[in-house]
Amino acid sequence: MRQLSEDHTRILLEKLAKYIGGNTTHLLERPDGAYCFRELRNRVYYVSESILKQASNVNPDKLISVGVCFGKFTKSGKFRLHITSLHYIAPYAQYKIWVKPSAEQQVLYGHNVLKSGLGKITESTPQYQGVIVYNMNDVPLGFGVTAKSTADCKNADPLTVICFNQSDIGEYVRCEDELL
């Protein structure tokens, strides 16, 4: 495990800022101790500093992972958030979308959120903003990017896409074969 380079740190923080704004400091300085981001084989892990000290005793070649995988860097240098980071990012989200129970299954199948399935949306959400998608019981379902601003949603047609699906918890089942 190694520290992120300056470029990778900048890219990671920009991606997190898209979803949680300036709340990234809350991820690193938590009441239960200090946390940090570390990189191993192009994957970024969110790990407690106390666990990181214990992991330093393990040979890096034998180490598979430590902490929670937040995402990975692609070959083109972009950062892609993994669904495993959802429960750590969701409490700090600036913008949120709630879907109706009738549209919840469509989100879990990897489809976009339509106006007809939109339950509610955070006030003054801009277009192309990163959002966390929730069901009506406040359970986070995934990440998305708004296709319309809040003002545009009010006058939109029922079949208009409101939020593009980036990642959702249904990936655990859909990508099961890839993990084996």
Side-chain angles (χ1 to χ4, degrees), residues 25-36:
T25 56
H26 296 298
L27 282 175
L28 301 175
E29 298 166 8
R30 293 178 26 177
D32 59 341
Y35 281 71
C36 59

Side-chain angles (χ1 to χ4, degrees), residues 49-163:
E49 288 186 355
S50 62
I51 292 176
L52 186 63
K53 288 177 186 176
Q54 294 174 359
S56 64
N57 297 328
V58 177
N59 183 350
D61 296 334
K62 306 278 184 194
L63 194 61
I64 295 174
S65 77
V66 172
V68 176
C69 183
F70 251 49
K72 72 175 191 172
F73 285 99
T74 62
K75 291 180 182 177
S76 62
K78 295 180 181 176
F79 184 74
R80 180 167 164 80
L81 278 173
H82 283 190
I83 196 63
T84 50
S85 65
L86 179 64
H87 291 287
Y88 295 93
I89 294 174
Y92 305 113
Q94 284 185 314
Y95 300 105
K96 302 172 184 179
I97 286 182
W98 288 266
V99 293
K100 295 177 182 174
S102 59
E104 190 174 327
Q105 186 174 13
Q106 293 300 313
V107 171
L108 297 179
Y109 282 159
H111 297 269
N112 297 327
V113 178
L114 301 177
K115 166 73 161 111
S116 60
L118 181 67
K120 55 184 178 176
I121 185 170
T122 306
E123 205 54 47
S124 71
T125 302
Q127 188 175 18
Y128 305 123
Q129 174 65 45
V131 293
I132 304 296
V133 179
Y134 288 88
N135 67 6
M136 294 306 279
N137 296 325
D138 287 331
V139 175
L141 299 177
F143 301 109
V145 174
T146 55
K148 303 275 185 193
S149 66
T150 303
D152 295 339
C153 289
K154 294 176 182 175
N155 302 324
D157 184 63
L159 297 178
T160 303
V161 174
I162 300 299
C163 177

Side-chain angles (χ1 to χ4, degrees), residues 40-51:
L40 179 68
R41 298 181 195 95
N42 287 333
R43 295 190 186 277
V44 175
Y45 293 92
Y46 177 65
V47 61
S48 165
E49 288 186 355
S50 62
I51 292 176

